[in-house]
Amino acid sequence: MAHTKAEPKRISALDEPREVDARIAWGSDVAAQVLRRLDIPYIALNPGASYRGLHDSLVNHLGNRAPEMIMCLHEEQAVAIAHGYAKATGKPMAVALHSNVGLMHGSMAIYNAWCDRQPMLILGATGPVDARLRRPWIDWIHTSQDQGALVRNFVKWDDQPGSVAALPESIYRAWQQTATPPHGPVYVCLDAAIQEQALTEEVSIPDPARFGPAPASRPAAEALRRAAAALATAERPVILFGRGRRTQEDWDRRVALAERLGATMLSDLKVGSMVPTDHPLHAGEPFNQLHAAAKAALKEADVILSIGWIDLGGALRQAFGRDRIPATVIHAGDDIHLHNGWGKEHMELPPIDVHLLGDPDAAVAELLESLPARPRSAAAVAAEGPAEQAAADSINLRMVARALAAAVGNQPVTFSGLPRAWPIALWPHRHPLDYLGKDGGGGLGSGPGIAIGAALALKDSDRLTIGILGDGDCLMSMNALWTAARYRIPVLLIVANNRSYYNDELHQEGVARGRGRNTANRWIGQSIDHPAPDIAKLAQAQGLTGIGPVRRVDELSEAMRRGVECVRAGNPCLIDVHIDPGHGRHLRESMAERSMAKGA
Ligand SMILES: Cc1ncc(C[n+]2csc(CCOP(=O)(O)OP(=O)(O)O)c2C)c(N)n1
Ligand SMILES: [Mg+2]
């Protein structure tokens, strides 16, 4: 029997199928029904015959609703959109990837989501697995033995169910895996022949209620007791705020814990906003590599508490080198459950004295309950950035931030991505959705998709979703923008366009310096200029409002005003801003130094 629930609103009025067939009559109808019962709102996809059965079920059986298709021009962007959606909501949506080829296209974005520990349900397809059913040629090149092996090293779980009757269990388990913390993408590969099989008997699709995700795990009582004891007597505690949930409740508890302990707060650019960056206890800005204030705080600390810090080993290494760490190190997190040895995204093995194995925010809640109220005076001092030395004829990110803030006014903003030199101190993060963090795997080209996915998730909220993207990042996934135009996803993309893969220019400079060679050649093979692609036109060509290139300081305010107005009216917009390539250089200097030291 077809599942009957209140039909959710579709975002695309264009994609209304006619004469929908409510009968569950084909193998893929069963898979589609399972998606509906899981209340999956969207399925991002690029089509392909390996899942033409499922495609038909989504359209002609479910009526392209719950889930609704979000069509993309490249699989990498379908995955990136689900990634951005998960970042903003904490919830998975679905993705469909065609056979081996679509999976290969999507794989880098899956890797990003994996490293970022974000959930998503990826449905793939192959086959027919039964060779007798394969069409000549095409079905043979689009069938792979053990297709999940392509991504198995960077998904949490994968499966290829062997019958129609096995579909519900497989998809329910996948959902349970992806939605249970610690999160990660999951992949279910649907045999084309199974999808296209006519049902001869009713297939039971159980209610998903008893197959749902498990709650986040709480750390062991004994470990909590030891951690609380160490913290209760700490004189100079430091808390590293890493991965956590984007809820106001968890945010408030993190702040309360730091305040109760009088602890210096440090936060990570990679995870996004987890604590207020302008809190008196917050030292400096969120960082990727330790800044001086963070280093000093860690060196002086008697207790270091990591709340899901992604690279605790690396942070300690930067502060202490090979020296012994005098502080008691407490780490709360469950990431260890995902470490499989293939990727090294587990980072350097940190020395840990008290391991609070479990959900980092659960550890915060437990510690807060057991620690006595003992507020101490604020220890941290905000690190001052270097003075602004902007020539009036070149635009830097501080100017962009100021102009954007003026255009936005009081409306809350979600930054889906920020470039390294973005002046967070000018625009502090004060809400869990203010900034969603980095792409996870450092796979370039994710920025547009993640921004669109976040905007899709937040489109009915009071927030404005803005992605500040590098030109290299944006150009790699330019055609993600079509999806934003097609579904009227209100996102503002601002390209911090330095006409270069500037990050890597600095690497080349560092290598040349280390080898005593000419650093002036660093731009060769790195500059995206002569011609500089007209990114605003590329946006316009896909149906967005494209503004720019903005080259002069006096054009900035008007460009930002127009961009914000466009997105407030419900439409996507891109503003291409040519920025001074050298701005923010000091923030990247360490890379050049590292290359110099290692000659790599
Ligand atoms: C898929 C992929 N290809 C290449 C790189 C190497 N890479 C890292 S940052 C970067 C430059 C990014 O350029 P842009 O987005 O313009 O930012 P900018 O450094 O100029 O601010 C490159 C090429 C990568 N990380 N991922
Ligand atoms: Mg660039």
Side-chain angles (χ1 to χ4, degrees):
M1 232 196 54
H3 191 54
T4 48
K5 252 191 192 171
E7 298 227 311
K9 222 174 91 199
R10 199 182 298 109
I11 65 163
S12 171
L14 292 173
D15 302 327
E16 176 88 49
R18 298 195 187 151
E19 292 173 35
V20 169
D21 174 11
R23 287 174 312 129
I24 301 175
W26 303 90
S28 54
D29 292 346
V30 173
Q33 279 293 326
V34 173
L35 301 184
R36 166 142 318 163
R37 286 167 204 219
L38 287 168
D39 278 332
I40 297 174
Y42 305 114
I43 181 163
L45 55 81
N46 182 267
S50 63
Y51 72 86
R52 64 188 185 184
L54 178 69
H55 197 116
D56 173 73
S57 298
L58 293 171
V59 174
N60 283 320
H61 174 59
L62 292 189
N64 191 28
R65 199 191 295 273
E68 176 180 357
M69 292 179 176
I70 304 286
M71 196 183 126
C72 302
L73 304 184
H74 193 295
E75 289 86 353
E76 194 173 288
Q77 291 141 19
V79 176
I81 285 174
H83 185 175
Y85 181 90
K87 271 163 123 36
T89 59
K91 291 187 188 140
M93 58 174 257
V95 178
L97 299 179
H98 167 53
S99 77
N100 45 14
V101 285
L103 182 60
M104 286 188 257
H105 255 186
S107 61
M108 189 210 74
I110 298 173
Y111 182 67
N112 273 341
W114 164 255
C115 291
D116 201 25
R117 306 311 192 207
Q118 295 297 339
M120 70 181 64
L121 170 64
I122 303 164
L123 295 175
T126 195
V129 170
D130 182 347
R132 290 167 312 159
L133 301 176
R134 273 178 222 153
R135 294 172 292 160
W137 179 60
I138 188 73
D139 274 347
W140 292 78
I141 52 177
H142 285 171
T143 302
S144 297
Q145 183 92 348
D146 190 13
Q147 195 165 283
L150 270 172
V151 293
R152 186 162 303 133
N153 288 313
F154 45 95
V155 295
K156 201 176 164 192
W157 186 75
D158 77 288
D159 194 22
Q160 186 171 314
S163 68
V164 176
L167 287 171
E169 174 174 344
S170 178
I171 300 174
Y172 281 160
R173 189 192 299 276
W175 187 258
Q176 185 177 59
Q177 282 278 352
T178 199
T180 297
H183 302 289
V186 290
Y187 176 70
V188 178
C189 185
L190 307 175
D191 178 347
I194 290 174
Q195 294 175 57
E196 297 187 21
Q197 204 173 304
L199 299 190
T200 49
E201 56 188 35
E202 196 177 322
V203 175
S204 134
I205 306 175
D207 189 305
R210 300 176 82 180
F211 307 104
S217 57
R218 305 187 92 77
E222 172 57 15
L224 279 165
R225 199 193 52 70
R226 287 178 53 214
L231 287 164
T233 54
E235 293 294 327
R236 295 170 309 282
V238 172
I239 309 182
L240 291 152
F241 285 102
R243 286 194 182 100
R245 270 189 293 272
R246 293 196 187 284
T247 71
Q248 188 66 50
E249 255 188 326
D250 287 299
W251 172 283
D252 292 343
R253 276 197 287 258
R254 283 179 221 124
V255 176
L257 180 65
E259 287 176 349
R260 183 160 302 179
L261 294 166
T264 301
M265 303 158 95
L266 299 177
S267 64
D268 189 347
L269 267 184
K270 294 187 280 300
V271 297
S273 46
M274 287 292 151
V275 287
T277 55
D278 58 347
H279 191 284
L281 288 169
H282 194 280
E285 295 196 2
F287 56 86
N288 237 356
Q289 293 181 7
L290 251 62
H291 49 58
K295 215 175 263 189
L298 288 174
K299 282 188 131 164
E300 283 161 22
D302 51 357
V303 177
I304 296 169
L305 171 61
S306 150
I307 299 296
W309 193 261
I310 291 178
D311 186 11
L312 179 58
L316 296 173
R317 169 78 56 224
Q318 287 173 72
F320 297 97
R322 302 269 161 202
D323 297 343
R324 199 185 163 276
I325 298 158
T328 299
V329 180
I330 305 169
H331 174 66
D334 50 10
D335 202 61
I336 194 171
H337 292 308
L338 296 181
H339 301 166
N340 64 19
W342 178 81
K344 302 304 170 194
E345 82 287 346
H346 47 51
M347 316 289 163
E348 182 173 346
L349 186 67
I352 297 172
D353 299 302
V354 184
H355 205 148
L356 302 175
L357 178 60
D359 180 68
D361 279 313
V364 172
E366 298 271 1
L367 288 173
L368 200 54
E369 283 217 342
S370 57
L371 281 165
R374 189 169 76 101
R376 268 184 294 248
S377 58
V381 184
E384 275 298 313
E388 204 168 326
Q389 322 159 322
D393 57 350
S394 72
I395 298 176
N396 64 45
L397 287 174
R398 296 176 75 82
M399 296 168 178
V400 175
R402 285 210 173 91
L404 181 61
V408 165
N410 291 329
Q411 184 175 4
V413 164
T414 291
F415 287 108
S416 64
L418 289 174
R420 204 180 299 253
W422 183 258
I424 293 174
L426 271 187
W427 193 330
H429 301 156
R430 294 180 177 144
H431 184 277
L433 282 170
D434 279 357
Y435 168 47
L436 302 181
K438 291 189 171 292
D439 58 23
L444 203 62
S446 57
I450 288 177
I452 293 165
L456 172 68
L458 298 172
K459 69 181 169 36
D460 296 324
S461 75
D462 60 343
R463 306 188 72 89
L464 203 61
T465 307
I466 303 178
I468 317 272
L469 313 174
D471 49 325
D473 185 35
C474 189
L475 286 163
M476 208 178 258
S477 290
M478 205 57 216
N479 54 356
L481 273 56
W482 177 84
T483 298
R486 177 64 173 71
Y487 298 95
R488 279 195 73 200
I489 297 171
V491 64
L492 180 58
L493 302 169
I494 298 176
V495 184
N497 187 351
N498 50 20
R499 282 86 67 214
S500 167
Y501 292 119
Y502 193 72
N503 175 79
D504 286 70
E505 267 196 53
L506 292 185
H507 277 290
Q508 296 319 128
E509 178 179 328
V511 172
R513 191 184 304 123
R515 294 177 174 183
R517 293 177 176 170
N518 189 358
T519 55
N521 292 328
R522 68 175 203 193
W523 59 271
I524 296 174
Q526 304 282 357
S527 147
I528 314 176
D529 213 344
H530 311 292
D534 188 334
I535 301 180
K537 278 215 180 88
L538 289 168
Q540 285 164 17
Q542 298 177 81
L544 278 80
T545 298
I547 299 171
V550 178
R551 293 198 180 88
R552 294 205 334 256
V553 178
D554 60 8
E555 297 169 335
L556 255 185
S557 297
E558 176 59 11
M560 295 298 150
R561 192 198 60 72
R562 277 182 59 208
V564 168
E565 186 181 82
C566 173
V567 178
R568 278 190 184 141
N571 296 302
C573 175
L574 177 142
I575 309 175
D576 179 18
V577 185
H578 281 201
I579 60 162
D580 169 13
H583 176 68
R585 210 197 130 106
H586 63 284
L587 291 168
R588 302 179 184 218
E589 221 75 306
S590 55
M591 275 188 299
E593 279 163 19
R594 197 197 63 195
S595 315
M596 193 169 63
K598 295 193 176 158

